[in-house]
Amino acid sequence: MKLEAAWLRDFAKRYTGAWCSQNASSVAAFFALNGSLSVNGAPAVGRGAITEVAQGFMTAFPDLRLRMDDILMQGERAVYHWTFIGTNTGPGGTGHRVCFSGYEVWKFGEDGLIAESQGHFDAAAYQHQLERGVEESR
């Protein structure tokens, strides 16, 4: 699938909205039926598993906001840069606020959905914020 800038930007904006919706299955709908999402590790494969990953973040951070920082084309792939903002007030939460950035490298299938997403963020900084909190910069 050949990526076009306007289509990709619209896709990324809608994906961001899905993360902010508190509806985990709406995030999974951006992935191919057997698509995969990895976040600093082993991939969640299939929409059911992706829904579980998204739901985990949404449950832990009921006020979750994802901000799209940028979307870039790199050949046949796209790199989606984001900032995650929320307060860990879900069950067993620390009550601390987090604000951290990361990115996902997307490979699209012929159906125009994400076939593979490799997500990355600084896990040590995230853990530090969970334990101590952070003031939101913007």
Side-chain angles (χ1 to χ4, degrees):
M1 172 180 175
K2 178 127 172 82
L3 299 178
E4 294 179 14
W7 177 87
L8 183 60
R9 184 156 295 280
D10 178 67
F11 184 93
K13 284 180 180 177
R14 291 184 292 114
Y15 180 77
T16 303
W19 273 100
C20 295
S21 73
Q22 285 295 324
N23 180 347
S25 62
S26 69
V27 173
F30 282 83
F31 289 80
L33 286 175
N34 292 314
S36 67
L37 168 65
S38 65
V39 182
N40 285 358
V45 179
R47 287 186 181 162
I50 292 166
T51 298
E52 286 181 28
V53 169
Q55 188 61 60
F57 283 105
M58 292 173 179
T59 298
F61 299 91
D63 64 345
L64 183 158
R65 282 189 358 245
L66 197 71
R67 184 175 64 214
M68 180 174 81
D69 298 326
D70 207 356
I71 183 76
L72 307 167
M73 291 187 288
Q74 287 187 342
E76 296 297 311
R77 296 181 187 256
V79 183
Y80 169 72
H81 292 266
W82 49 261
T83 298
F84 181 109
I85 303 159
T87 310
N88 185 218
T89 56
T94 64
H96 291 123
R97 187 158 188 75
V98 300
C99 180
F100 63 96
S101 296
Y103 65 94
E104 296 177 35
V105 179
W106 292 340
K107 178 181 177 185
F108 285 91
E110 290 301 315
D111 56 5
L113 297 172
I114 301 168
E116 176 185 310
S117 175
Q118 297 176 358
H120 307 274
F121 65 88
D122 184 335
Y126 169 69
Q127 190 61 42
H128 178 82
Q129 290 179 22
L130 274 180
E131 293 169 4
R132 299 214 170 104
V134 69
E135 291 298 317
E136 187 176 341
S137 60
R138 295 189 246 178

